[in-house]
Amino acid sequence: MVMRAIRGATTVEHNEADIILEATEQLFKEIIEKNNLSPTDVVSVLISATADINACFPAAALRRIDGCMYVPVTCMQEMDVVGALQQCIRIMVTAETTLTQQEIIHVYKEKAVQLRPDLQN
């Protein structure tokens, strides 16, 4: 087993807590599923959101997932770069896995697919 970082991002249409939490939860679950992980494999999760997402902490979504109670999670604000994608939530999951870097599946959803078209499966 080695530690690997797995990236993901999604966007939301509205700055509403329920929408933000649902999008974050779906993104995290898809990362876990596509990379054949369990919550106990996760070392930590960093979540950033653009400045226009402030109705809640996206990290709270992980507390709704069975087995994630003890996963260390933190939120931060994404850099506010002119012309950057707005209403975007980004995740970096650090996990123990047997996958190589080339086998890792990064997950980009909604309008966030434009961030890394080279990583789309």
Side-chain angles (χ1 to χ4, degrees):
M1 292 272 232
V2 295
M3 281 201 291
R4 300 274 183 226
I6 306 165
R7 291 290 316 267
T10 191
T11 56
V12 294
E13 292 295 321
H14 303 285
N15 182 31
E16 296 174 17
D18 289 345
I19 294 170
I20 294 164
L21 294 173
E22 182 65 27
T24 305
E25 182 177 349
Q26 286 179 2
L27 177 61
F28 180 76
K29 283 181 173 179
E30 192 169 334
I31 289 170
I32 294 299
E33 180 183 314
K34 286 189 172 188
N35 290 284
N36 197 29
L37 299 171
S38 72
T40 57
D41 297 323
V42 177
V43 175
S44 64
V45 180
L46 301 175
I47 301 175
S48 68
T50 50
D52 50 4
I53 295 176
N54 61 9
C56 68
F57 291 104
L62 272 66
R63 300 294 164 246
R64 304 180 342 171
I65 301 171
D66 193 32
C68 289
M69 181 176 186
Y70 300 109
V71 174
V73 182
T74 193
C75 285
M76 63 200 80
Q77 186 174 346
E78 186 68 30
M79 290 180 57
D80 192 16
V81 176
V82 175
L85 182 62
Q86 296 298 298
Q87 296 181 303
C88 186
I89 301 164
R90 292 173 172 88
I91 293 181
M92 184 178 295
V93 176
T94 303
E96 292 183 326
T97 181
T98 58
L99 298 176
T100 66
Q101 278 188 320
Q102 295 78 10
E103 294 172 320
I104 293 291
I105 299 173
H106 304 278
V107 179
Y108 291 85
K109 301 168 65 76
E110 307 300 335
K111 293 177 185 171
V113 296
Q114 66 185 289
L115 296 173
R116 290 299 303 265
D118 56 315
L119 295 178
Q120 300 307 309
N121 293 327

